[in-house]
Amino acid sequence: MTINCRGRLIDLFTPKVMGILNLTPDSFYDGGKYKNETEILKKVEQMLLEGATFIDLGAYSSRPGADHISTEQEKKRILPIVSLLLDKFPEILLSIDTFRSEIATACIKAGAALINDISAGNMDQNMIPTVGELEVPYIMMHMKGTPQTMKTLDQYDNLILEINTYFSEKVSEAKKHGVNDIIIDPGFGFAKNISQNFELLKNLKLLQFHNLPILAGISRKSMIYKTLHLKPSEALNGTTALNTVAILNGASILRVHDVKEAMECLNLMNHL
């Protein structure tokens, strides 16, 4: 439950918070919100002060049906921000949300600390070998298809069994390529409908079968706001409620838009 991030050992036995910074114009909640360096620095400083251990940078929108962008577009969006943040916050642990090995390599060489891949190597066959060569922690997520097709691929005979089988295969592949620090993300909302998301959250402990840290990315997602008949902007209370369930059911990292509230949740859980 300990991962090595740029020479720093991070103990995930005590759950941590990962703050989200989307650099995309079309993410489902905060797309286009951070348009310039001043806004980006202010948001990241806020998340760090509120207690985020990691900041997750994404320059490719993975919301259902999002537009596909080129590698060059993604690189143009993300690389300057990696440099900006490391210059301002030298100790920051940047997670790079990408499925492209070329982006992963460029960002890690620029000083980022870990890779967060929604496709677990399925959308770029060079990703897992590249992460092994880079010797950084790897977050692998469960998803079927691509962000453009996943909504049509939510058929399962046994949801939890199929996800565990998927991770067994992916973890084995990663270890063969020398990836030592692996975190699994069950992929809430990715090729899963609302009822399946709740089934997954209820049975999250069954993913501890792999003896690996689990990341839960529930923040302001449709399983919350559609169930409560709200907008994503109104889904903070629901997010906190389900983050609590995720921690009680074994999550080691909460990936969130709202760090302060997630940290309060963790602090309260530590008193149980």
Side-chain angles (χ1 to χ4, degrees):
M1 298 295 285
T2 300
I3 61 173
N4 187 333
C5 296
R6 294 175 62 197
R8 288 169 55 189
L9 296 180
I10 307 298
D11 176 17
L12 297 179
F13 182 78
T14 302
K16 302 295 189 291
V17 170
M18 173 179 283
I20 300 169
L21 183 69
N22 285 316
L23 305 174
T24 56
D26 56 345
S27 292
F28 78 95
Y29 168 59
D30 57 356
K33 190 172 181 180
Y34 307 107
K35 299 185 180 71
N36 59 56
E37 291 185 357
T38 300
E39 291 173 346
I40 288 169
L41 288 172
K42 182 179 178 181
K43 176 61 176 176
V44 170
E45 183 177 34
Q46 175 190 347
M47 291 193 290
L48 292 173
L49 289 173
E50 289 174 347
T53 299
F54 312 99
I55 302 295
D56 193 46
L57 294 183
Y60 182 105
S61 178
S62 57
R63 67 173 176 80
D67 292 336
H68 180 75
I69 66 168
S70 69
T71 301
E72 286 309 309
Q73 283 178 288
E74 185 179 357
K75 189 181 293 185
K76 187 177 179 181
R77 285 179 182 174
I78 201 167
L79 270 180
I81 305 306
V82 171
S83 298
L84 173 74
L85 294 178
L86 283 162
D87 182 60
K88 179 68 173 178
F89 312 106
E91 299 302 312
I92 194 171
L93 296 179
L94 291 179
S95 164
I96 303 302
D97 183 356
T98 186
F99 58 83
R100 289 172 165 144
S101 58
E102 184 178 335
I103 302 294
T105 298
C107 290
I108 294 299
K109 287 184 176 180
L114 59 163
I115 299 300
N116 181 9
D117 179 5
I118 61 170
S119 79
N122 286 335
M123 294 174 69
D124 182 343
Q125 298 305 308
N126 292 321
M127 177 60 97
I128 290 177
T130 296
V131 173
E133 292 171 5
L134 293 170
E135 299 182 321
V136 294
Y138 185 46
I139 302 168
M140 55 168 63
M141 194 185 79
H142 175 270
M143 177 179 70
K144 295 196 292 184
T146 68
Q148 292 74 32
T149 64
M150 63 185 179
K151 282 191 76 174
T152 65
L153 300 173
D154 60 356
Q155 298 81 35
Y156 300 88
D157 292 326
N158 185 318
L159 177 68
I160 304 302
L161 177 60
E162 290 182 41
I163 291 175
N164 269 332
T165 300
Y166 173 95
F167 281 128
S168 291
E169 295 169 353
K170 286 295 179 180
V171 168
S172 176
E173 180 184 355
K175 288 184 176 179
K176 286 178 183 176
H177 286 282
V179 182
N180 295 318
D181 294 333
I182 301 169
I183 298 158
I184 60 173
D185 175 356
F188 290 96
F190 288 80
K192 300 167 192 73
N193 60 37
I194 289 175
S195 64
Q196 290 165 342
N197 286 323
F198 279 101
E199 179 186 352
L200 179 55
L201 181 59
K202 180 181 178 180
N203 293 286
L204 197 63
K205 281 186 177 179
L206 296 179
L207 272 62
Q208 293 178 319
F209 162 80
H210 305 279
N211 293 317
L212 293 170
I214 298 170
L215 181 148
I218 302 170
S219 183
R220 295 183 181 269
K221 286 189 173 177
S222 62
M223 66 183 290
I224 299 167
Y225 67 80
K226 288 186 178 179
T227 299
L228 298 176
H229 307 291
L230 302 171
K231 300 173 184 176
S233 60
E234 301 170 315
L236 176 54
N237 187 55
T239 295
T240 301
L242 295 193
N243 276 339
T244 302
V245 177
I247 292 297
L248 290 172
N249 286 350
S252 297
I253 300 175
L254 297 177
R255 182 180 180 272
V256 301
H257 299 91
D258 309 279
V259 171
K260 176 178 177 289
E261 290 78 4
M263 286 300 301
E264 289 175 352
C265 176
L266 293 185
N267 288 337
L268 290 172
M269 292 298 99
N270 288 338
H271 285 79
L272 293 178

